[in-house]
Amino acid sequence: MLGRVSRASATKVSRYFSSTCRSNGKFNEPLSGHDMPRAGGIASMMRLPVQDDASGLYACFVGVPLDIGTSNRAGTRHGPRQIRAESSLLRKVNISTGASPYDSFQVADVGDVNLNLYNLPKACEDIRNHFSRIVQTGCIPLALGGDHTMTYPILQAIRDKHGPVGLVHVDAHADTNDTMLGEKIAHGTPFRRAMEEGCLDGHRVIQIGLRGSNYNVTDYDWGREQGFRVVLGHECWHKSLTPLMSEVREMMGDRPVYITFDIDALDPAYAPGTGTPEIAGLTPIQGLEIVRGCRGMNIVGGDLVEVSPSYDPFGTTALTGANILFEMLCVLPECKYLH
């Protein structure tokens, strides 16, 4: 559902898009800047049509306005809205790779999860139930976040459909703490909970970009003991990550894979609008190499998390996040390539 928007209101929105969005006669397309100024139109993801469920969709964009799992700077509840606003700059074809998702399958924005912002376990239940409805239709969700706690209930829903999945995890932090201030659920614990609950195939998990000061030199050992491959941030300095992603494709094979991209994986010079920034991070170019390197994998979902707009008055962080989500759309299994 579209957050708290009624079905009648959602129908009105859909009618609006039916009259303004371009269509190739078969699939939805983003509203073009040639047909409506980019400052106009309703701010859906890429100004796509909006619908209140995933019926008839191959893929969808869905917002998760969550920030009550954060440990430092809050504000990621506003991330989905800002990502959508900045996404008006994006166009339908990926000229670099030739990917043309809107000539390949049906995509829409299905609004936001209506979640409880006063109770984190209840919010996780809301997220899991919402994504369960999406994935049971066969639709591939691409989520706009929202703090990284959200990936835990999303992976629960993905597991219920696909079983344990491989994970391409791009982040400055491992997010494998057992507890934070005594709590089992927080944005620093999702992948320990997911592993404990059979959501992940530990030998098909890679974490890329981990860095920063830590509490102990053994902080990444738990993940390695589960079979995770850990690529530290300094191991990525001054190099292309394309060769690494060739190894990752072989590691993932043809079984289901989920992509989770924390915007703080990027250096804060490029993405300052986040809650727990760490210096000496990845570049946007390396971020694109990672996502484009997922082409050929059996991707069953993905997310872009931890965009906190109030710490970036220029919107660059959200714009970068919108582009990364588009790149995820471009590597989904059924996407056509025009060159």
Side-chain angles (χ1 to χ4, degrees), residues 70 72-80 82-83 145-147 261-278 304-321:
T70 56
N72 190 42
R73 304 191 304 201
T76 53
R77 68 180 64 185
H78 301 295
Q82 190 67 29
I83 291 169
D147 79 59
F261 197 119
D262 188 326
I263 201 69
D264 71 22
L266 303 184
D267 191 275
Y270 303 106
T274 193
T276 46
E278 303 283 359
L304 185 287
V305 301
E306 296 287 356
V307 172
S308 190
S310 60
Y311 297 100
D312 181 0
F314 305 107
T316 307
T317 307
L319 175 63
T320 303

mmCIF file of all heavy atoms in Angstrom, residues 70 72-80 82-83 145-147 261-278 304-321:
data_model
loop_
_atom_site.group_PDB
_atom_site.id
_atom_site.type_symbol
_atom_site.label_atom_id
_atom_site.label_comp_id
_atom_site.label_asym_id
_atom_site.label_seq_id
_atom_site.Cartn_x
_atom_site.Cartn_y
_atom_site.Cartn_z
ATOM 1 N N THR A 70 18.952 3.499 14.162
ATOM 2 C CA THR A 70 20.255 4.130 13.985
ATOM 3 C C THR A 70 20.980 4.329 15.316
ATOM 4 O O THR A 70 20.356 4.480 16.366
ATOM 5 C CB THR A 70 20.123 5.496 13.289
ATOM 6 O OG1 THR A 70 19.230 6.325 14.051
ATOM 7 C CG2 THR A 70 19.593 5.339 11.888
ATOM 8 N N ASN A 72 23.786 6.656 15.509
ATOM 9 C CA ASN A 72 24.455 7.956 15.554
ATOM 10 C C ASN A 72 23.486 9.021 15.052
ATOM 11 O O ASN A 72 22.556 9.392 15.755
ATOM 12 C CB ASN A 72 25.758 7.919 14.745
ATOM 13 C CG ASN A 72 26.614 9.155 14.936
ATOM 14 O OD1 ASN A 72 26.750 9.649 16.053
ATOM 15 N ND2 ASN A 72 27.198 9.673 13.869
ATOM 16 N N ARG A 73 23.621 9.482 13.826
ATOM 17 C CA ARG A 73 22.754 10.534 13.315
ATOM 18 C C ARG A 73 21.504 9.920 12.692
ATOM 19 O O ARG A 73 21.586 9.070 11.818
ATOM 20 C CB ARG A 73 23.504 11.369 12.266
ATOM 21 C CG ARG A 73 24.794 11.954 12.796
ATOM 22 C CD ARG A 73 25.442 12.984 11.896
ATOM 23 N NE ARG A 73 25.734 12.533 10.545
ATOM 24 C CZ ARG A 73 26.633 13.117 9.753
ATOM 25 N NH1 ARG A 73 27.327 14.162 10.188
ATOM 26 N NH2 ARG A 73 26.841 12.668 8.533
ATOM 27 N N ALA A 74 20.349 10.376 13.115
ATOM 28 C CA ALA A 74 19.094 9.884 12.561
ATOM 29 C C ALA A 74 18.730 10.669 11.301
ATOM 30 O O ALA A 74 19.507 11.479 10.818
ATOM 31 C CB ALA A 74 17.995 9.982 13.617
ATOM 32 N N GLY A 75 17.529 10.421 10.777
ATOM 33 C CA GLY A 75 17.056 11.169 9.615
ATOM 34 C C GLY A 75 16.825 10.333 8.384
ATOM 35 O O GLY A 75 16.326 10.827 7.373
ATOM 36 N N THR A 76 17.181 9.029 8.435
ATOM 37 C CA THR A 76 17.006 8.194 7.242
ATOM 38 C C THR A 76 15.543 7.890 6.939
ATOM 39 O O THR A 76 15.240 7.386 5.857
ATOM 40 C CB THR A 76 17.777 6.869 7.374
ATOM 41 O OG1 THR A 76 17.401 6.225 8.599
ATOM 42 C CG2 THR A 76 19.272 7.110 7.371
ATOM 43 N N ARG A 77 14.636 8.229 7.869
ATOM 44 C CA ARG A 77 13.219 8.079 7.527
ATOM 45 C C ARG A 77 12.844 8.966 6.342
ATOM 46 O O ARG A 77 11.860 8.700 5.652
ATOM 47 C CB ARG A 77 12.336 8.409 8.738
ATOM 48 C CG ARG A 77 12.341 9.858 9.167
ATOM 49 C CD ARG A 77 11.448 10.109 10.374
ATOM 50 N NE ARG A 77 11.925 9.400 11.552
ATOM 51 C CZ ARG A 77 11.264 9.378 12.706
ATOM 52 N NH1 ARG A 77 10.107 10.021 12.826
ATOM 53 N NH2 ARG A 77 11.754 8.724 13.739
ATOM 54 N N HIS A 78 13.624 10.018 6.119
ATOM 55 C CA HIS A 78 13.364 10.917 4.995
ATOM 56 C C HIS A 78 14.130 10.513 3.732
ATOM 57 O O HIS A 78 13.980 11.153 2.691
ATOM 58 C CB HIS A 78 13.729 12.345 5.380
ATOM 59 C CG HIS A 78 12.975 12.858 6.573
ATOM 60 N ND1 HIS A 78 11.614 13.052 6.563
ATOM 61 C CD2 HIS A 78 13.398 13.185 7.825
ATOM 62 C CE1 HIS A 78 11.219 13.495 7.751
ATOM 63 N NE2 HIS A 78 12.281 13.573 8.532
ATOM 64 N N GLY A 79 14.936 9.454 3.836
ATOM 65 C CA GLY A 79 15.733 9.029 2.692
ATOM 66 C C GLY A 79 14.912 8.668 1.465
ATOM 67 O O GLY A 79 15.195 9.148 0.348
ATOM 68 N N PRO A 80 13.885 7.812 1.587
ATOM 69 C CA PRO A 80 13.114 7.431 0.396
ATOM 70 C C PRO A 80 12.526 8.629 -0.346
ATOM 71 O O PRO A 80 12.557 8.686 -1.580
ATOM 72 C CB PRO A 80 12.020 6.529 0.970
ATOM 73 C CG PRO A 80 12.630 5.943 2.204
ATOM 74 C CD PRO A 80 13.461 7.046 2.778
ATOM 75 N N GLN A 82 13.635 11.752 -0.433
ATOM 76 C CA GLN A 82 14.663 12.538 -1.102
ATOM 77 C C GLN A 82 15.251 11.792 -2.295
ATOM 78 O O GLN A 82 15.556 12.402 -3.331
ATOM 79 C CB GLN A 82 15.773 12.915 -0.122
ATOM 80 C CG GLN A 82 16.756 13.939 -0.663
ATOM 81 C CD GLN A 82 16.121 15.302 -0.883
ATOM 82 O OE1 GLN A 82 15.176 15.664 -0.192
ATOM 83 N NE2 GLN A 82 16.629 16.048 -1.847
ATOM 84 N N ILE A 83 15.414 10.475 -2.169
ATOM 85 C CA ILE A 83 15.890 9.686 -3.309
ATOM 86 C C ILE A 83 14.924 9.827 -4.478
ATOM 87 O O ILE A 83 15.335 10.027 -5.635
ATOM 88 C CB ILE A 83 16.064 8.206 -2.919
ATOM 89 C CG1 ILE A 83 17.222 8.044 -1.940
ATOM 90 C CG2 ILE A 83 16.299 7.342 -4.161
ATOM 91 C CD1 ILE A 83 17.294 6.668 -1.294
ATOM 92 N N GLY A 145 16.012 3.215 1.296
ATOM 93 C CA GLY A 145 16.050 3.333 2.748
ATOM 94 C C GLY A 145 16.520 4.684 3.223
ATOM 95 O O GLY A 145 17.081 5.465 2.471
ATOM 96 N N GLY A 146 16.177 4.892 4.493
ATOM 97 C CA GLY A 146 15.871 3.883 5.500
ATOM 98 C C GLY A 146 17.159 3.331 6.100
ATOM 99 O O GLY A 146 18.140 3.126 5.405
ATOM 100 N N ASP A 147 17.156 3.110 7.430
ATOM 101 C CA ASP A 147 18.373 2.583 8.038
ATOM 102 C C ASP A 147 18.511 1.082 7.788
ATOM 103 O O ASP A 147 17.563 0.405 7.404
ATOM 104 C CB ASP A 147 18.457 2.956 9.528
ATOM 105 C CG ASP A 147 17.620 2.113 10.477
ATOM 106 O OD1 ASP A 147 17.812 0.888 10.519
ATOM 107 O OD2 ASP A 147 16.781 2.689 11.213
ATOM 108 N N PHE A 261 23.261 -2.175 -0.466
ATOM 109 C CA PHE A 261 24.274 -1.130 -0.655
ATOM 110 C C PHE A 261 24.008 -0.015 0.355
ATOM 111 O O PHE A 261 23.044 0.729 0.239
ATOM 112 C CB PHE A 261 24.204 -0.584 -2.083
ATOM 113 C CG PHE A 261 25.423 0.180 -2.536
ATOM 114 C CD1 PHE A 261 26.157 -0.257 -3.622
ATOM 115 C CD2 PHE A 261 25.826 1.347 -1.891
ATOM 116 C CE1 PHE A 261 27.286 0.434 -4.062
ATOM 117 C CE2 PHE A 261 26.931 2.051 -2.321
ATOM 118 C CZ PHE A 261 27.681 1.590 -3.404
ATOM 119 N N ASP A 262 24.868 0.071 1.353
ATOM 120 C CA ASP A 262 24.820 1.163 2.323
ATOM 121 C C ASP A 262 25.581 2.337 1.723
ATOM 122 O O ASP A 262 26.757 2.199 1.353
ATOM 123 C CB ASP A 262 25.453 0.713 3.638
ATOM 124 C CG ASP A 262 25.287 1.715 4.763
ATOM 125 O OD1 ASP A 262 25.298 2.927 4.498
ATOM 126 O OD2 ASP A 262 25.175 1.269 5.923
ATOM 127 N N ILE A 263 24.926 3.493 1.631
ATOM 128 C CA ILE A 263 25.558 4.640 0.981
ATOM 129 C C ILE A 263 26.824 5.075 1.704
ATOM 130 O O ILE A 263 27.699 5.712 1.109
ATOM 131 C CB ILE A 263 24.557 5.816 0.858
ATOM 132 C CG1 ILE A 263 24.978 6.806 -0.229
ATOM 133 C CG2 ILE A 263 24.363 6.508 2.195
ATOM 134 C CD1 ILE A 263 24.881 6.271 -1.641
ATOM 135 N N ASP A 264 26.998 4.676 2.992
ATOM 136 C CA ASP A 264 28.229 5.054 3.688
ATOM 137 C C ASP A 264 29.427 4.223 3.243
ATOM 138 O O ASP A 264 30.554 4.472 3.685
ATOM 139 C CB ASP A 264 28.070 5.053 5.210
ATOM 140 C CG ASP A 264 27.936 3.671 5.850
ATOM 141 O OD1 ASP A 264 28.357 2.665 5.256
ATOM 142 O OD2 ASP A 264 27.402 3.605 6.981
ATOM 143 N N ALA A 265 29.208 3.241 2.348
ATOM 144 C CA ALA A 265 30.340 2.577 1.705
ATOM 145 C C ALA A 265 31.168 3.573 0.918
ATOM 146 O O ALA A 265 32.392 3.437 0.793
ATOM 147 C CB ALA A 265 29.855 1.459 0.786
ATOM 148 N N LEU A 266 30.493 4.591 0.379
ATOM 149 C CA LEU A 266 31.195 5.620 -0.378
ATOM 150 C C LEU A 266 31.859 6.611 0.576
ATOM 151 O O LEU A 266 31.374 6.859 1.683
ATOM 152 C CB LEU A 266 30.219 6.363 -1.290
ATOM 153 C CG LEU A 266 29.427 5.520 -2.289
ATOM 154 C CD1 LEU A 266 28.578 6.422 -3.173
ATOM 155 C CD2 LEU A 266 30.349 4.641 -3.127
ATOM 156 N N ASP A 267 32.955 7.180 0.134
ATOM 157 C CA ASP A 267 33.635 8.188 0.935
ATOM 158 C C ASP A 267 32.686 9.356 1.194
ATOM 159 O O ASP A 267 31.931 9.758 0.302
ATOM 160 C CB ASP A 267 34.876 8.675 0.194
ATOM 161 C CG ASP A 267 35.762 9.523 1.070
ATOM 162 O OD1 ASP A 267 35.506 10.757 1.163
ATOM 163 O OD2 ASP A 267 36.680 8.973 1.684
ATOM 164 N N PRO A 268 32.695 9.919 2.411
ATOM 165 C CA PRO A 268 31.785 11.033 2.700
ATOM 166 C C PRO A 268 32.025 12.279 1.862
ATOM 167 O O PRO A 268 31.169 13.169 1.831
ATOM 168 C CB PRO A 268 31.990 11.293 4.198
ATOM 169 C CG PRO A 268 33.276 10.632 4.547
ATOM 170 C CD PRO A 268 33.416 9.476 3.603
ATOM 171 N N ALA A 269 33.148 12.359 1.179
ATOM 172 C CA ALA A 269 33.327 13.457 0.237
ATOM 173 C C ALA A 269 32.301 13.376 -0.888
ATOM 174 O O ALA A 269 31.890 14.401 -1.448
ATOM 175 C CB ALA A 269 34.732 13.413 -0.356
ATOM 176 N N TYR A 270 31.865 12.155 -1.221
ATOM 177 C CA TYR A 270 30.879 11.940 -2.272
ATOM 178 C C TYR A 270 29.466 11.778 -1.721
ATOM 179 O O TYR A 270 28.492 12.089 -2.413
ATOM 180 C CB TYR A 270 31.225 10.671 -3.066
ATOM 181 C CG TYR A 270 32.594 10.670 -3.669
ATOM 182 C CD1 TYR A 270 33.613 9.877 -3.129
ATOM 183 C CD2 TYR A 270 32.897 11.455 -4.776
ATOM 184 C CE1 TYR A 270 34.878 9.860 -3.682
ATOM 185 C CE2 TYR A 270 34.164 11.441 -5.340
ATOM 186 C CZ TYR A 270 35.156 10.636 -4.788
ATOM 187 O OH TYR A 270 36.408 10.623 -5.334
ATOM 188 N N ALA A 271 29.353 11.264 -0.500
ATOM 189 C CA ALA A 271 28.043 10.963 0.074
ATOM 190 C C ALA A 271 28.028 11.352 1.551
ATOM 191 O O ALA A 271 28.049 10.492 2.436
ATOM 192 C CB ALA A 271 27.717 9.482 -0.102
ATOM 193 N N PRO A 272 27.962 12.655 1.833
ATOM 194 C CA PRO A 272 27.992 13.101 3.231
ATOM 195 C C PRO A 272 26.681 12.881 3.977
ATOM 196 O O PRO A 272 26.668 12.882 5.205
ATOM 197 C CB PRO A 272 28.292 14.599 3.108
ATOM 198 C CG PRO A 272 27.731 14.978 1.772
ATOM 199 C CD PRO A 272 27.975 13.790 0.890
ATOM 200 N N GLY A 273 25.587 12.696 3.242
ATOM 201 C CA GLY A 273 24.276 12.612 3.863
ATOM 202 C C GLY A 273 23.960 11.235 4.396
ATOM 203 O O GLY A 273 23.094 10.532 3.870
ATOM 204 N N THR A 274 24.650 10.860 5.455
ATOM 205 C CA THR A 274 24.451 9.543 6.054
ATOM 206 C C THR A 274 24.762 9.628 7.542
ATOM 207 O O THR A 274 25.391 10.590 8.002
ATOM 208 C CB THR A 274 25.314 8.483 5.349
ATOM 209 O OG1 THR A 274 24.903 7.175 5.738
ATOM 210 C CG2 THR A 274 26.793 8.682 5.623
ATOM 211 N N GLY A 275 24.355 8.621 8.297
ATOM 212 C CA GLY A 275 24.408 8.708 9.748
ATOM 213 C C GLY A 275 25.714 8.340 10.391
ATOM 214 O O GLY A 275 26.062 8.853 11.455
ATOM 215 N N THR A 276 26.485 7.420 9.786
ATOM 216 C CA THR A 276 27.749 6.972 10.387
ATOM 217 C C THR A 276 28.853 6.997 9.328
ATOM 218 O O THR A 276 29.327 5.957 8.876
ATOM 219 C CB THR A 276 27.617 5.554 10.976
ATOM 220 O OG1 THR A 276 26.947 4.699 10.044
ATOM 221 C CG2 THR A 276 26.832 5.571 12.272
ATOM 222 N N PRO A 277 29.257 8.192 8.904
ATOM 223 C CA PRO A 277 30.261 8.297 7.845
ATOM 224 C C PRO A 277 31.628 7.830 8.315
ATOM 225 O O PRO A 277 31.995 7.988 9.478
ATOM 226 C CB PRO A 277 30.270 9.797 7.514
ATOM 227 C CG PRO A 277 29.814 10.458 8.779
ATOM 228 C CD PRO A 277 28.825 9.515 9.394
ATOM 229 N N GLU A 278 32.382 7.257 7.371
ATOM 230 C CA GLU A 278 33.762 6.815 7.634
ATOM 231 C C GLU A 278 34.641 7.311 6.490
ATOM 232 O O GLU A 278 34.286 7.135 5.316
ATOM 233 C CB GLU A 278 33.854 5.284 7.696
ATOM 234 C CG GLU A 278 32.947 4.624 8.719
ATOM 235 C CD GLU A 278 33.449 4.736 10.153
ATOM 236 O OE1 GLU A 278 34.533 5.321 10.357
ATOM 237 O OE2 GLU A 278 32.740 4.248 11.051
ATOM 238 N N LEU A 304 19.082 0.139 -1.248
ATOM 239 C CA LEU A 304 20.039 1.228 -1.067
ATOM 240 C C LEU A 304 19.629 1.923 0.218
ATOM 241 O O LEU A 304 18.521 2.461 0.311
ATOM 242 C CB LEU A 304 19.994 2.174 -2.263
ATOM 243 C CG LEU A 304 20.986 3.344 -2.368
ATOM 244 C CD1 LEU A 304 20.673 4.463 -1.399
ATOM 245 C CD2 LEU A 304 22.418 2.874 -2.167
ATOM 246 N N VAL A 305 20.503 1.884 1.226
ATOM 247 C CA VAL A 305 20.096 2.311 2.567
ATOM 248 C C VAL A 305 20.974 3.423 3.120
ATOM 249 O O VAL A 305 22.030 3.744 2.583
ATOM 250 C CB VAL A 305 20.113 1.112 3.546
ATOM 251 C CG1 VAL A 305 19.179 0.013 3.071
ATOM 252 C CG2 VAL A 305 21.531 0.572 3.739
ATOM 253 N N GLU A 306 20.489 3.991 4.242
ATOM 254 C CA GLU A 306 21.214 4.934 5.100
ATOM 255 C C GLU A 306 21.410 6.318 4.473
ATOM 256 O O GLU A 306 22.353 7.035 4.811
ATOM 257 C CB GLU A 306 22.566 4.350 5.541
ATOM 258 C CG GLU A 306 22.452 3.111 6.420
ATOM 259 C CD GLU A 306 21.985 3.371 7.844
ATOM 260 O OE1 GLU A 306 21.802 4.554 8.200
ATOM 261 O OE2 GLU A 306 21.822 2.389 8.606
ATOM 262 N N VAL A 307 20.488 6.735 3.602
ATOM 263 C CA VAL A 307 20.497 8.113 3.108
ATOM 264 C C VAL A 307 19.784 8.997 4.130
ATOM 265 O O VAL A 307 18.611 8.790 4.434
ATOM 266 C CB VAL A 307 19.816 8.220 1.739
ATOM 267 C CG1 VAL A 307 19.655 9.696 1.333
ATOM 268 C CG2 VAL A 307 20.616 7.474 0.684
ATOM 269 N N SER A 308 20.517 9.963 4.674
ATOM 270 C CA SER A 308 19.984 10.887 5.676
ATOM 271 C C SER A 308 20.083 12.301 5.114
ATOM 272 O O SER A 308 21.117 12.969 5.244
ATOM 273 C CB SER A 308 20.767 10.755 6.987
ATOM 274 O OG SER A 308 20.145 11.463 8.029
ATOM 275 N N PRO A 309 19.033 12.782 4.451
ATOM 276 C CA PRO A 309 19.121 13.998 3.634
ATOM 277 C C PRO A 309 19.543 15.259 4.376
ATOM 278 O O PRO A 309 20.167 16.145 3.777
ATOM 279 C CB PRO A 309 17.697 14.151 3.084
ATOM 280 C CG PRO A 309 17.099 12.795 3.164
ATOM 281 C CD PRO A 309 17.704 12.154 4.374
ATOM 282 N N SER A 310 19.240 15.365 5.648
ATOM 283 C CA SER A 310 19.512 16.621 6.350
ATOM 284 C C SER A 310 20.995 16.923 6.466
ATOM 285 O O SER A 310 21.370 18.068 6.753
ATOM 286 C CB SER A 310 18.872 16.596 7.747
ATOM 287 O OG SER A 310 19.392 15.538 8.520
ATOM 288 N N TYR A 311 21.858 15.927 6.251
ATOM 289 C CA TYR A 311 23.304 16.139 6.343
ATOM 290 C C TYR A 311 23.944 16.413 4.980
ATOM 291 O O TYR A 311 25.171 16.469 4.877
ATOM 292 C CB TYR A 311 23.965 14.937 7.028
ATOM 293 C CG TYR A 311 23.468 14.782 8.444
ATOM 294 C CD1 TYR A 311 22.489 13.854 8.756
ATOM 295 C CD2 TYR A 311 23.930 15.621 9.456
ATOM 296 C CE1 TYR A 311 21.992 13.738 10.053
ATOM 297 C CE2 TYR A 311 23.441 15.523 10.754
ATOM 298 C CZ TYR A 311 22.473 14.581 11.043
ATOM 299 O OH TYR A 311 21.968 14.480 12.312
ATOM 300 N N ASP A 312 23.112 16.600 3.974
ATOM 301 C CA ASP A 312 23.610 16.934 2.638
ATOM 302 C C ASP A 312 22.644 17.917 1.990
ATOM 303 O O ASP A 312 21.699 17.520 1.307
ATOM 304 C CB ASP A 312 23.741 15.668 1.785
ATOM 305 C CG ASP A 312 24.290 15.961 0.396
ATOM 306 O OD1 ASP A 312 24.569 17.143 0.096
ATOM 307 O OD2 ASP A 312 24.419 15.011 -0.409
ATOM 308 N N PRO A 313 22.856 19.208 2.189
ATOM 309 C CA PRO A 313 21.905 20.200 1.669
ATOM 310 C C PRO A 313 21.854 20.278 0.150
ATOM 311 O O PRO A 313 20.924 20.869 -0.403
ATOM 312 C CB PRO A 313 22.416 21.515 2.269
ATOM 313 C CG PRO A 313 23.874 21.284 2.513
ATOM 314 C CD PRO A 313 23.979 19.839 2.911
ATOM 315 N N PHE A 314 22.816 19.659 -0.522
ATOM 316 C CA PHE A 314 22.857 19.732 -1.980
ATOM 317 C C PHE A 314 22.147 18.554 -2.655
ATOM 318 O O PHE A 314 21.985 18.543 -3.875
ATOM 319 C CB PHE A 314 24.306 19.813 -2.461
ATOM 320 C CG PHE A 314 25.058 20.957 -1.841
ATOM 321 C CD1 PHE A 314 26.012 20.721 -0.867
ATOM 322 C CD2 PHE A 314 24.776 22.272 -2.186
ATOM 323 C CE1 PHE A 314 26.690 21.765 -0.260
ATOM 324 C CE2 PHE A 314 25.446 23.326 -1.594
ATOM 325 C CZ PHE A 314 26.403 23.079 -0.618
ATOM 326 N N GLY A 315 21.793 17.522 -1.885
ATOM 327 C CA GLY A 315 21.077 16.382 -2.452
ATOM 328 C C GLY A 315 21.943 15.391 -3.186
ATOM 329 O O GLY A 315 21.433 14.447 -3.787
ATOM 330 N N THR A 316 23.266 15.557 -3.135
ATOM 331 C CA THR A 316 24.159 14.686 -3.895
ATOM 332 C C THR A 316 24.094 13.236 -3.413
ATOM 333 O O THR A 316 24.146 12.299 -4.223
ATOM 334 C CB THR A 316 25.609 15.200 -3.791
ATOM 335 O OG1 THR A 316 25.644 16.572 -4.163
ATOM 336 C CG2 THR A 316 26.536 14.398 -4.691
ATOM 337 N N THR A 317 23.965 13.039 -2.107
ATOM 338 C CA THR A 317 23.911 11.681 -1.562
ATOM 339 C C THR A 317 22.684 10.950 -2.095
ATOM 340 O O THR A 317 22.779 9.795 -2.547
ATOM 341 C CB THR A 317 23.875 11.721 -0.027
ATOM 342 O OG1 THR A 317 24.965 12.515 0.449
ATOM 343 C CG2 THR A 317 23.957 10.316 0.550
ATOM 344 N N ALA A 318 21.538 11.606 -2.050
ATOM 345 C CA ALA A 318 20.305 10.984 -2.540
ATOM 346 C C ALA A 318 20.361 10.780 -4.048
ATOM 347 O O ALA A 318 19.868 9.764 -4.563
ATOM 348 C CB ALA A 318 19.101 11.834 -2.161
ATOM 349 N N LEU A 319 20.951 11.715 -4.774
ATOM 350 C CA LEU A 319 21.102 11.556 -6.220
ATOM 351 C C LEU A 319 21.973 10.342 -6.529
ATOM 352 O O LEU A 319 21.650 9.541 -7.426
ATOM 353 C CB LEU A 319 21.730 12.812 -6.822
ATOM 354 C CG LEU A 319 22.057 12.737 -8.318
ATOM 355 C CD1 LEU A 319 20.797 12.563 -9.153
ATOM 356 C CD2 LEU A 319 22.824 13.987 -8.757
ATOM 357 N N THR A 320 23.058 10.184 -5.793
ATOM 358 C CA THR A 320 23.927 9.020 -5.980
ATOM 359 C C THR A 320 23.156 7.740 -5.664
ATOM 360 O O THR A 320 23.250 6.747 -6.396
ATOM 361 C CB THR A 320 25.170 9.140 -5.090
ATOM 362 O OG1 THR A 320 25.853 10.360 -5.382
ATOM 363 C CG2 THR A 320 26.116 7.971 -5.309
ATOM 364 N N GLY A 321 22.386 7.753 -4.589
ATOM 365 C CA GLY A 321 21.579 6.592 -4.236
ATOM 366 C C GLY A 321 20.575 6.243 -5.320
ATOM 367 O O GLY A 321 20.380 5.061 -5.647
#
